[in-house]
Amino acid sequence: MNQPLKAKLVAMLEVVYPALDCDFLAEQLLQTMGLAPNQAPPPAHQNNWDESDILLITYADTVQKADQKPLVTLRQFLNDCLADTVSAVHILPFFPYSSDDGFSVMDYLAVNESHGDWEDIEAISEDYKLMADLVVNHMSARSRWFENFRKRVDPGKDYFFEGNPRDDLSAVVRPRTSPLLNPVQTDDGERYVWCTFSEDQVDLNFANPKVLIEFAGIIRHYLERGVILFRLDAVAFLWKEPGTPCIHLQETHELIKIMRLLIEHHSPDAVVITETNVPNRENLTYFGNANEAHVIYNFSLPPLLINTLVTGDCKHLKTWLMSMPPAQMGTTYLNFIASHDGIGMRPTDGLLTEEEKQRLINTLDSFGGKVSYRRTADGRDQPYEVNIALYDALKGTAETGADHWQLPRFLCAHTVMLALEGIPAFYIHSLLATENDLERVENTGRLRSINRSQWQLDELEQELENPLSHHSKAYHELKRLIAIRRKQPAFHPNATQFTLHLGLQVFGFWRQSMRRDQSIFCIHNISDEVQQIALSDINLIGTDHWLDLISGMTIDDLSGSITLKPYQSVWLSNRE
């Protein structure tokens, strides 16, 4: 009997578990997922996205209303304010949790009662593509599984990765300064558990295939509840092997392929997204050969774009863009400038010098930012991320400090992001131009809280209706830009992209639709001075009629020039 899915799965499993009966393990996984061994594969290199796709990133309880569950309020806000703006919603971990604003999951199969229930999640999934976190690397120290680990009973007895303090762990790549191994008292003595991120986030042991089977069941549950986009959180650290860096190991890549294989055979339109906050070259490996992640976060974009706008120099952004490989069909980038986390500094490794990194950090510090650190193998603490609200990150320049160009600079950043190859993602606080929440940092004691504010719905609606409010100005202009973007075939996430050379104060690139019937020249003044650009430098085709999609300005004389005000952008297109 022909069983192509099972055969493919067995081959992958044998890489991860060479000593096990992988034929039997494959049968268990397929049964857990409700898949037949000969299940038909999805179409190869299929793009499950187009130019109309815009992702919103939000916590379940970012927008609140008295006497109403936050997931109900979120759906109301989405339908009232963003139904014509976003196509997909990433609701950050909405499960019961013990710390880290949701990423210390206590129960993967439950919705946090204070947020709502699965019916509320399903209701949102009916109107929007729903993205959820698959927190695969670690689980809460207060979870039932970990309680069972302490009691030495199943399920959970051997679900967590244990380390030995006598092992040489000097090569392990750390994203934090906290201890890697933590002693835990169990019913059969003291054991040391591996904690990549915090003492409350204990790393799972995927060397035990039961953990993989458990996650197959979790994945199926999410799919059946309307989740179609899977964000694999902190997945680069998944497989541990003392004596190695314990990041990007071959088994990790193979496990991602296995999860993708199961997910896309269950739901051909599902998408796997890897969250790997690492240097650019390492990040790109998660595409595999178009058989691993469908989508990878473009982690180098936020620090490089912010650095460009606060220095008025696009040299490094341009160099990076020229070096980025076009994504194969069936894969693409997720472009973002801000998220619930900080602005990562590791993705600038090899792209900015140490002096340039420090200048960026100092600039953001002067705008109210806070620096989080990681510990290196030689025991030094290095900046890991800068915690700051994006609106305040762009309140001035490195040279002169805060100025009156904050809003135009902020809008310019998003105009760049909207036009780049890939899918644009807006963190809700960027869409709303929320400022640093220093009071929340003081209340929680966590630096990341600076960009995790909560809005009362009535207060938010008042701000968005007030034409003098910077929240309203940013929100309405971003909605306008998004509406324009969603109609342009040249902005398909996989459409052609070439970098333009227009000097250091003007950042430009060319997009061409996949049918080659639309070209858009995306040109951005990234400085606080007026810039003049000769149209002859852009090579507009003389037989076409050109207009700026943003302002409506038409180009009649191709031998002339255009003048860009500080932080002004144009999208010059040969069709409306």
Side-chain angles (χ1 to χ4, degrees):
M1 182 178 178
N2 187 25
Q3 298 183 329
L5 172 56
K6 183 180 176 183
K8 200 169 188 179
L9 184 57
V10 168
M12 292 177 176
L13 290 167
E14 286 175 343
V15 176
V16 185
Y17 306 107
L20 298 183
D21 180 353
C22 291
D23 191 85
F24 179 64
L25 178 53
E27 288 180 6
Q28 289 181 293
L29 287 168
L30 294 174
Q31 185 177 2
T32 302
M33 286 291 297
L35 297 173
N38 59 347
Q39 191 98 14
H45 299 284
Q46 173 175 278
N47 293 326
N48 290 328
W49 47 76
D50 62 26
E51 60 272 17
S52 68
D53 279 306
I54 305 287
L55 176 70
L56 178 76
I57 306 167
T58 181
Y59 281 101
D61 59 351
T62 295
V63 183
Q64 302 181 0
K65 186 176 181 180
D67 303 319
Q68 190 174 75
K69 293 287 188 180
L71 282 168
V72 176
T73 308
L74 174 60
R75 186 181 181 218
Q76 179 184 335
F77 174 70
L78 288 168
N79 291 344
D80 290 350
C81 300
L82 297 176
D84 59 348
T85 302
V86 303
S87 61
V89 181
H90 174 198
I91 307 177
L92 290 154
F94 47 78
F95 320 106
Y97 69 96
S98 55
S99 65
D100 198 19
D101 288 340
F103 285 93
S104 294
V105 179
M106 296 173 65
D107 184 350
Y108 291 105
L109 299 178
V111 174
N112 188 333
E113 288 184 5
S114 65
H115 295 339
D117 53 34
W118 279 114
E119 285 66 35
D120 297 320
I121 294 291
E122 289 180 47
I124 293 173
S125 76
E126 291 171 4
D127 298 319
Y128 306 90
K129 297 177 185 177
L130 180 62
M131 179 165 156
D133 290 275
L134 199 62
V135 186
V136 287
N137 182 69
H138 49 261
M139 194 176 188
S140 169
R142 290 174 51 193
S143 63
R144 182 173 67 89
W145 284 0
F146 197 68
E147 285 302 312
N148 287 348
F149 173 87
R150 290 175 180 272
K151 295 173 183 175
R152 313 309 295 147
V153 299
D154 289 323
K157 175 184 175 182
D158 46 7
Y159 280 14
F160 296 89
F161 195 83
E162 297 182 47
N164 188 329
R166 292 188 294 274
D167 287 340
D168 180 7
L169 304 176
S170 60
V172 176
V173 173
R174 297 300 318 284
R176 299 288 185 272
T177 57
S178 55
L180 177 62
L181 300 183
N182 284 288
V184 175
Q185 292 300 324
T186 73
D187 285 2
D188 61 5
E190 185 177 68
R191 292 172 178 265
Y192 285 84
V193 292
W194 193 285
C195 300
T196 297
F197 290 91
S198 79
E199 190 175 352
D200 187 47
Q201 294 166 302
V202 187
D203 286 33
L204 291 155
N205 180 21
F206 273 85
N208 178 359
K210 290 180 183 177
V211 175
L212 179 59
I213 294 169
E214 290 275 14
F215 270 91
I218 292 164
I219 287 168
R220 181 178 179 181
H221 183 77
Y222 291 1
L223 285 164
E224 291 173 348
R225 291 295 194 169
V227 175
I228 204 70
L229 310 175
F230 288 81
R231 176 184 182 269
L232 304 190
D233 176 64
V235 72
F237 301 96
L238 195 61
W239 192 269
K240 287 85 179 167
E241 193 172 315
T244 75
C246 297
I247 187 172
H248 313 315
L249 298 186
Q250 182 186 2
E251 291 87 351
T252 291
H253 286 283
E254 212 65 32
L255 283 164
I256 296 170
K257 294 175 189 175
I258 289 167
M259 286 186 245
R260 168 174 169 161
L261 189 73
L262 296 172
I263 288 169
E264 67 182 8
H265 275 77
H266 183 286
S267 300
D269 55 345
V271 172
V272 172
I273 305 172
T274 50
E275 187 263 336
T276 49
N277 187 0
V278 295
N280 195 55
R281 286 182 179 273
E282 299 171 25
N283 192 31
L284 290 169
T285 65
Y286 285 87
F287 276 140
N289 186 23
N291 61 349
E292 202 165 327
H294 294 94
V295 180
I296 63 171
Y297 279 78
N298 224 340
F299 269 107
S300 295
L301 177 61
L304 286 180
L305 181 51
I306 292 167
N307 183 70
T308 293
L309 288 162
V310 300
T311 62
D313 184 333
C314 68
K315 176 178 66 176
H316 294 306
L317 184 63
K318 189 163 65 170
T319 300
W320 166 76
L321 193 68
M322 287 189 293
S323 72
M324 289 296 280
Q328 293 188 50
M329 292 298 171
T331 68
T332 194
Y333 298 100
L334 187 72
N335 294 324
F336 70 109
I337 322 174
S339 72
H340 61 291
D341 291 338
I343 298 162
M345 296 307 297
R346 283 207 73 211
T348 65
D349 288 355
L351 302 174
L352 298 180
T353 67
E354 292 303 315
E355 292 76 16
E356 288 165 334
K357 289 182 195 177
Q358 194 56 54
R359 188 186 191 199
L360 175 60
I361 290 169
N362 292 343
T363 301
L364 298 180
D365 176 75
S366 73
F367 298 156
K370 311 289 183 183
V371 183
S372 297
Y373 292 87
R374 70 181 185 94
R375 187 149 294 156
T376 61
D378 58 5
R380 292 181 299 115
D381 289 350
Q382 283 195 338
Y384 179 71
E385 65 180 19
V386 182
N387 304 112
I388 191 169
L390 181 64
Y391 188 67
D392 280 337
L394 296 170
K395 73 191 306 179
T397 67
E399 191 70 33
T400 61
D403 59 23
H404 62 285
W405 296 110
Q406 184 175 12
L407 181 58
R409 191 180 291 113
F410 177 80
L411 292 171
C412 179
H414 287 97
T415 310
V416 171
M417 181 190 77
L418 279 166
L420 286 169
E421 175 188 347
I423 301 168
F426 284 81
Y427 183 43
I428 190 168
H429 289 303
S430 297
L431 197 60
L432 303 173
T434 310
E435 297 154 295
N436 289 336
D437 194 337
L438 298 175
E439 182 180 348
R440 192 170 177 83
V441 172
E442 189 173 335
N443 291 340
T444 66
R446 297 191 300 272
L447 299 184
R448 284 179 167 177
S449 297
I450 198 170
N451 197 25
R452 298 180 180 180
S453 296
Q454 293 175 323
W455 282 95
Q456 292 300 314
L457 182 59
D458 56 351
E459 178 188 346
L460 176 58
E461 289 173 339
Q462 288 176 13
E463 287 289 346
L464 297 183
E465 291 169 5
N466 176 7
L468 300 179
S469 160
H470 78 268
H471 302 290
S472 177
K473 292 175 182 176
Y475 166 78
H476 286 291
E477 181 60 11
L478 289 175
K479 277 175 63 77
R480 188 179 79 87
L481 290 168
I482 291 168
I484 295 169
R485 189 242 193 241
R486 297 183 76 185
K487 297 176 182 176
Q488 313 307 322
F491 284 155
H492 186 287
N494 293 89
T496 297
Q497 176 174 284
F498 282 107
T499 309
L500 303 177
H501 298 278
L502 302 170
L504 297 180
Q505 282 72 53
V506 178
F507 178 58
F509 49 93
W510 169 63
R511 302 295 309 278
Q512 185 182 55
S513 62
M514 294 158 83
R515 292 178 56 185
R516 298 190 176 185
D517 58 346
Q518 184 185 29
S519 286
I520 303 179
F521 290 86
C522 309
I523 302 168
H524 316 268
N525 180 357
I526 50 84
S527 77
D528 56 6
E529 297 178 349
V530 172
Q531 300 294 327
Q532 196 91 6
I533 299 123
L535 291 171
S536 57
D537 290 340
I538 306 173
N539 294 324
L540 302 180
I541 298 171
T543 55
D544 288 347
H545 298 285
W546 296 90
L547 81 156
D548 172 23
L549 296 171
I550 296 175
S551 68
M553 171 189 71
T554 57
I555 304 291
D556 298 316
D557 180 9
L558 297 188
S559 64
S561 63
I562 54 173
T563 302
L564 294 183
K565 294 180 289 187
Y567 306 107
Q568 183 182 353
S569 300
V570 293
W571 288 342
L572 300 180
S573 172
N574 60 345
R575 53 172 277 187
E576 295 187 38

